[in-house]
């Protein structure tokens, strides 16, 4: 798919390619897949290097008593102790985003179907109406928040009441 997108960019030219938003979606999706697989490969290389260290320097099978360098001991930790910048975690997050984007490609095909096309169009219009409602709701909420702040701002230093401090 990456090769076909590159050929399409070459044949249409970059300006015409970017003009169609589905091409931008495809390019972004494929770029995220490539970044995900690159991060997964980097995690594999780091784990392989740690495993080679253990194979060479740890004679017994029990790793709990062995003194390992920090970068090797990291691979014995449970997943909840991993750094947020771990390549495996980043890879899984990018892969999930790319899969969602790849399923969104079906929205390009659905309007042509006689059963799902009207449903997609009505869903799109419903989402627009919900967005309009949320804008009005947020405006009323912000107005209420400013009004409450103005009402209670005079009492900031009067008494300490934990219910009104946050």
């Amino acid at each position: 798919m990456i090769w076909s997108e590159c050929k399409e960019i070459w044949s249409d030219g970059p300006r015409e390619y970017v003009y169609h938003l589905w091409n931008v979606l495809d390019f972004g999706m494929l770029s995220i897949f490539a970044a995900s697989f690159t991060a997964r490969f980097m995690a594999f290389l780091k784990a392989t290097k740690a495993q080679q260290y253990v194979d060479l320097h740890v004679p017994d099978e029990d790793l709990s008593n062995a003194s390992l360098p920090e970068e090797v001991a990291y691979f014995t930790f449970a997943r909840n102790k991993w750094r947020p910048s771990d390549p495996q975690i980043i890879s899984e997050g990018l892969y999930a985003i790319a899969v969602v984007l790849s399923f969104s490609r079906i929205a390009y095909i659905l309007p042509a179907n006689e059963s799902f096309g009207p449903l997609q169009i009505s869903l799109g219009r419903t989402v627009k109406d919900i967005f309009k409602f949320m804008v009005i709701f947020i405006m009323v909420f912000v107005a209420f928040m400013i009004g409450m702040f103005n009402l209670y701002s005079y009492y900031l230093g009067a008494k300490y009441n934990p219910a009104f401090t946050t």
Side-chain angles (χ1 to χ4, degrees), residues 15-139:
R15 185 173 299 192
E16 184 67 28
Y17 181 81
V18 174
Y19 181 72
H20 302 289
L21 292 180
W22 290 109
N23 290 334
V24 175
L25 175 73
D26 288 344
F27 187 80
M29 175 194 64
L30 293 172
S31 299
I32 293 172
F33 269 126
S36 169
F37 290 128
T38 303
R40 177 84 41 114
F41 184 68
M42 296 304 290
F44 172 75
L45 290 179
K46 288 174 75 176
T48 302
K49 191 182 286 187
Q51 184 63 47
Q52 288 174 349
Y53 178 88
V54 168
D55 291 343
L56 290 175
H57 297 93
V58 179
D60 52 346
E61 297 294 326
D62 188 20
L63 288 178
S64 61
N65 296 331
S67 63
L68 300 172
E70 182 180 339
E71 63 270 4
V72 176
Y74 175 77
F75 290 97
T76 63
F77 298 159
R79 247 181 118 87
N80 60 353
K81 305 276 190 215
W82 288 2
R83 290 185 296 265
S85 62
D86 187 78
Q88 182 71 25
I89 294 175
I90 291 173
S91 169
E92 291 170 358
L94 288 174
Y95 187 77
I97 291 169
V99 167
V100 169
L101 288 176
S102 69
F103 273 97
S104 69
R105 292 182 71 207
I106 200 165
Y108 182 70
I109 300 167
L110 280 181
N113 188 315
E114 64 184 39
S115 299
F116 294 114
L119 290 174
Q120 183 187 7
I121 292 169
S122 65
L123 180 66
R125 290 181 181 168
T126 303
V127 168
K128 286 179 187 175
D129 289 341
I130 290 171
F131 180 73
K132 290 175 188 175
F133 173 77
M134 289 303 294
V135 167
I136 293 170
F137 176 76
I138 289 171
M139 286 174 48

